[in-house]
Amino acid sequence: MTSETTTPASSLTDKEREAIEQMPYEEARDKLIQAVQALEAGGLNLDQSMRQWEIGEALAKRAQSLLGEVRAKLDAAQAEQATAANTAGTQDNLS
């Protein structure tokens, strides 16, 4: 018996995943809210619930990725500002 890891089947198409990967943060956030509301409202069958869950997971991943990119840019800007502040008024910044 071999031990294989399998990826669970997904109801999302490659086209849908690509569309989510291209979404700006605000759109991903708004669609995530809609997916959560649909799940919370109930009345979905199991397949519909799983699809909403998968959509929500993909949207949350996209939003988190975008927030991570912004956080990295802010950290880099703060580090650059701190370096500039450390050398302000010294001979190091005159060359």
Side-chain angles (χ1 to χ4, degrees), residues 6-83:
T6 58
T7 304
S10 174
S11 65
L12 297 181
T13 65
D14 289 340
K15 187 175 181 179
E16 288 171 319
R17 288 185 184 282
E18 179 66 26
I20 290 171
E21 284 299 315
Q22 301 302 316
M23 282 182 190
Y25 173 79
E26 291 79 6
E27 183 178 357
R29 181 201 59 216
D30 292 346
K31 289 188 180 288
L32 175 57
I33 291 168
Q34 292 171 0
V36 169
Q37 288 172 340
L39 286 167
E40 288 177 342
L44 302 174
N45 65 34
L46 181 59
D47 289 336
Q48 293 168 327
S49 293
M50 286 303 299
R51 180 165 171 74
Q52 285 301 312
W53 181 270
E54 289 180 40
I55 290 169
E57 285 287 321
L59 290 164
K61 182 179 175 183
R62 173 64 178 159
Q64 191 62 41
S65 172
L66 290 168
L67 288 174
E69 290 174 16
V70 170
R71 186 173 294 120
K73 288 178 184 178
L74 287 172
D75 289 346
Q78 286 176 334
E80 185 177 322
Q81 187 177 28
T83 300

